[in-house]
Amino acid sequence: MTTDSTTTGITIPHLSPTTLANLVDYTISFSAANGLQVQQKSERSATSTSSSYITAPISLLPQAYPHGQFQHGLALSTPFNLLVDRISRNGKFLQETLKGVRDVDEFTGMLLTLYEAIYLSDGHSSEQHAKGADRLGILRSDYMLHCSQAANNEYSIKQVELNTIASSFAGLASSVAKLHGFLTRRLGEEGLQEFLDVNERAVMGDSSDGIVDGDGERGVPQSLAMIRLPAAMAVAYDRYCARFNIGSSSNSNNNGEHKSDAAVIKPVILFVVQPNETNTVDQRLLEFALWDNHEIPVVRMSLGEIHERVTLDEASGRLTIQNDDQGDNCGAVQEVAVVYFRAGYAPTDYPSGYNTADGSGIEWLARERLERGSAAKCPNLGYHLAGTKKVQQELARRGAVEQFFEGDEADVAAQIRTAFAGLYSLGADANEEDMEAVKDVLFNDAKGQYVLKPQREGGGYNYYGENLANKLKENCTITVDDDGNNDVTLSPDLSEFILMERLFPPQQRAILLRNGQVEGTGMSISELGCFGAIVSSGDGEVVHNEYAGFLLRTKFSGVDEGGVASGFATLSSPYLC
């Protein structure tokens, strides 16, 4: 891999220095003009609120991707949406699946405890508000191309994970697709096409013929994320307003539900965000689209701020924000129609701890308050738990997915199962197949064929290679029976992990841009993310379900982890072929 802070001195096969310089110039300008940026980390003073922005981490050019497998990923969006919704309503499945995890993973245990208290109890009316609330899912299923002998040595997509909370980069990824579409059309005949063709042959091999079958077009597709994700949020928002007979912007006094002595303004969508967030542009793009397309206002607050300023009316289930006595909405009460989590997915989002009994765990208290309200949650606790790695592993077992799609829907389960890679339990429920995978790592030097994953989102938590093998060795008791066979006993501490078959997508050349400069060039691999949007009622009626856009993340081949926000990967887009 060749690296440099500028384009000077960088040699890229099949791409001239002049073309590279033009690519970088266009990219920096396009990014500034179209908001393809991230906020720079900086120390803010008490008197300064200024922010600076820089080009987001991106691949300078799109990556070759098989058209048929791209369409397969898109087609799987709505089945996975349905699967998550049905899992969220099956308390017995979630309890049984996560019972071993909750004892060793305090974070997942807290989520499950709140879920049980709110959705599985026959308690007071506040639980009924949550049970009757709509559920909004903005999900992203991530895939890698993988080649196996069982698939006749052809590449097919296999699921890496299913994100059910804070599924990010829909906005920036849409902008990257626009950038790459522009670059390939503008510079395609000026020295760029050879580079793209070489990558296409690296991925497609002998099947590369320069055309796309069916009605698809060769090149970079358009992402619909900034149209369809706001549309799904608008469905949930409008249903809330209709349910409570709230005018779109006017005050209402139906059955005394709105108080006339307080200023009431248009209901909002509450974005739950992290303090000192740097991925603000991606979030703002969604916020701006909500207003431009649907005239729905957004309020951004951290869990700490929510604890201070958001109240729950136990009688009606309404969540309201009390504004400060300053600004345009001084003293006004804003009602929350939809809660959209872009935070709350990791233990670090709850810095005050887990003790809610004494009132110190304010972030968890805020999360619980939001969950008990009548507003639609994206996600609710059931959706959040459905995205854990342990649930992903359990679904891969024979018959697990099928229990959610019976009778005439059996073909849906079969469609979902085509995307599963090998997934193995390390808990008390580990069966013979699971233990064979563990022994494969410990005794057959197969550590490079697996990944060890905890119940975490965000990137940077997985174990690979020697680290994986050492983690297993440290948490296994190995004995030898009378016949000389190795017997392995797993430590309970491994219950929070799953073991997953490692995927090996095709490698192709990439040029990565980070902090506004060319980071380097080298062989890379990519991961496709397909967004899905679903809205369902409290009693399980699905009122909206569709595919909602894509992203592609690219990293150099020697990098194990894959998060963009965590600094491992860059945003890219597929070049369909």
Side-chain angles (χ1 to χ4, degrees):
M1 181 177 70
T2 308
T3 59
D4 202 317
S5 60
T6 69
T7 61
T8 305
I10 293 182
T11 301
I12 300 176
H14 314 293
L15 202 64
S16 71
T18 299
T19 301
L20 176 61
N22 287 338
L23 281 170
V24 173
D25 185 47
Y26 273 126
T27 296
I28 299 299
S29 299
F30 184 99
S31 299
N34 292 273
L36 182 47
Q37 298 180 319
V38 292
Q39 189 171 327
Q40 287 187 293
K41 292 182 179 179
S42 60
E43 294 294 331
R44 293 190 180 186
S45 67
T47 58
S48 174
T49 58
S50 62
S51 302
S52 59
Y53 297 85
I54 196 168
T55 301
I58 59 174
S59 174
L60 201 56
L61 288 169
Q63 306 303 120
Y65 208 91
H67 176 265
Q69 292 304 310
F70 177 78
Q71 292 297 328
H72 187 198
L74 271 55
L76 285 170
S77 296
T78 53
F80 272 114
N81 291 347
L82 286 175
L83 179 60
V84 167
D85 185 71
R86 293 176 184 182
I87 290 172
S88 75
R89 302 173 191 279
N90 192 325
K92 183 178 179 181
F93 175 83
L94 287 172
Q95 287 177 309
E96 186 66 23
T97 299
L98 296 172
K99 65 181 180 182
V101 176
R102 73 187 313 167
D103 295 331
V104 293
D105 182 350
E106 191 174 19
F107 178 72
T108 303
M110 186 67 165
L111 292 173
L112 185 57
T113 296
L114 286 178
Y115 172 81
E116 291 168 335
I118 297 173
Y119 292 98
L120 303 186
S121 70
D122 296 322
H124 52 77
S125 60
S126 63
E127 277 84 26
Q128 300 308 314
H129 301 318
K131 292 175 183 177
D134 280 353
R135 305 177 183 201
L136 168 62
I138 292 179
L139 317 177
R140 195 188 71 228
S141 186
D142 294 337
Y143 306 97
M144 277 187 173
L145 291 169
H146 184 65
C147 184
S148 66
Q149 292 182 350
N152 297 319
N153 292 318
E154 294 182 358
Y155 283 106
S156 60
I157 58 171
K158 295 297 176 184
Q159 189 180 63
V160 177
E161 62 182 354
L162 180 58
N163 302 275
T164 61
I165 181 171
S167 304
S168 59
F169 292 114
L172 290 180
S174 298
S175 298
V176 173
K178 291 177 183 177
L179 165 66
H180 286 163
F182 166 76
L183 292 176
T184 53
R185 293 191 303 271
R186 176 66 180 83
L187 300 177
E189 301 302 322
E190 298 181 21
L192 184 60
Q193 195 59 51
E194 184 180 359
F195 180 93
L196 298 173
D197 290 344
V198 169
N199 273 354
E200 180 176 335
R201 288 193 291 272
V203 174
M204 302 297 292
D206 295 338
S207 64
S208 176
D209 55 13
I211 62 172
V212 169
D213 56 1
D215 57 359
E217 293 184 4
R218 188 169 185 260
V220 181
Q222 178 185 4
S223 176
L224 302 174
M226 286 299 95
I227 297 173
R228 292 191 174 179
L229 294 184
M233 299 178 87
V235 170
Y237 178 92
D238 290 341
R239 282 174 55 83
Y240 180 90
C241 292
R243 180 181 175 190
F244 288 101
N245 197 21
I246 303 172
S248 59
S249 60
S250 61
N251 193 1
S252 169
N253 192 25
N254 295 288
N255 301 319
E257 291 168 337
H258 280 291
K259 296 179 183 287
S260 59
D261 59 348
V264 180
I265 56 180
K266 192 172 185 176
V268 302
I269 293 180
L270 175 60
F271 278 30
V272 183
V273 299
Q274 295 172 329
N276 305 314
E277 173 68 68
T278 58
N279 192 24
T280 52
V281 175
D282 183 60
Q283 298 169 6
R284 292 290 191 183
L285 288 171
L286 184 55
E287 175 184 345
F288 300 154
L290 278 165
W291 184 258
D292 287 344
N293 299 342
H294 306 283
E295 294 192 1
I296 296 175
V298 165
V299 172
R300 297 166 54 86
M301 300 177 71
S302 68
L303 284 168
E305 291 170 323
I306 288 166
H307 180 261
E308 292 180 0
R309 294 176 49 202
V310 175
T311 59
L312 169 64
D313 185 327
E314 295 283 352
S316 67
R318 282 176 162 156
L319 294 163
T320 52
I321 303 169
Q322 182 64 51
N323 287 292
D324 298 330
D325 294 330
Q326 301 178 23
D328 295 338
N329 295 325
C330 61
V333 173
Q334 292 177 293
E335 186 163 340
V336 178
V338 178
V339 179
Y340 173 52
F341 286 94
R342 290 296 290 259
Y345 55 84
T348 51
D349 289 328
Y350 304 83
S352 300
Y354 292 84
N355 193 341
T356 56
D358 66 359
S360 62
I362 61 171
E363 292 84 13
W364 281 112
L365 288 170
R367 177 74 185 268
E368 180 180 6
R369 188 181 305 161
L370 295 176
E371 194 73 27
R372 291 186 185 278
S374 295
K377 265 74 69 177
C378 180
N380 76 348
L381 286 166
Y383 276 43
H384 190 166
L385 290 168
T388 56
K389 303 299 186 295
K390 180 60 182 177
V391 169
Q392 180 188 9
Q393 174 264 306
E394 181 63 25
L395 290 171
R397 292 202 188 280
R398 186 177 294 112
V401 173
E402 287 74 9
Q403 68 181 293
F404 296 101
F405 298 97
E406 298 178 335
D408 295 340
E409 293 185 312
D411 60 326
V412 179
Q415 184 182 9
I416 289 172
R417 193 166 286 284
T418 62
F420 287 163
L423 294 158
Y424 309 97
S425 173
L426 298 177
D429 61 337
N431 59 24
E432 184 177 351
E433 184 181 9
D434 300 323
M435 295 307 300
E436 285 301 317
V438 172
K439 292 177 181 179
D440 203 22
V441 174
L442 294 176
F443 308 124
N444 298 331
D445 197 29
K447 55 184 178 291
Q449 304 300 312
Y450 298 91
V451 182
L452 187 64
K453 292 187 170 188
Q455 315 297 313
R456 289 290 177 271
E457 301 295 338
Y461 300 103
N462 298 334
Y463 291 81
Y464 299 84
E466 286 294 337
N467 290 333
L468 183 161
N470 291 335
K471 184 70 173 178
L472 287 183
K473 290 174 184 176
E474 292 166 3
N475 290 276
C476 290
T477 301
I478 302 173
T479 58
V480 180
D481 63 21
D482 294 338
D483 296 325
N485 298 315
N486 292 307
D487 188 26
V488 177
T489 303
L490 303 175
S491 164
D493 291 341
L494 286 176
S495 296
E496 67 170 303
F497 296 90
I498 67 165
L499 196 61
M500 180 178 175
E501 173 189 10
R502 189 165 186 176
L503 306 177
F504 295 96
Q507 297 186 28
Q508 57 185 301
R509 182 166 294 280
I511 311 161
L512 304 189
L513 196 76
R514 199 180 297 276
N515 297 323
Q517 299 177 327
V518 175
E519 181 182 43
T521 180
M523 300 308 288
S524 69
I525 58 175
S526 295
E527 185 173 321
L528 175 69
C530 295
F531 289 96
I534 184 170
V535 180
S536 64
S537 67
D539 60 8
E541 179 189 4
V542 175
V543 297
H544 182 91
N545 184 18
E546 67 177 354
Y547 154 73
F550 66 84
L551 65 75
L552 196 76
R553 287 173 294 180
T554 296
K555 62 182 181 181
F556 288 128
S557 299
V559 178
D560 286 328
E561 294 287 356
V564 175
S566 48
F568 299 107
T570 62
L571 292 169
S572 187
S573 53
Y575 187 84
L576 301 184
C577 48

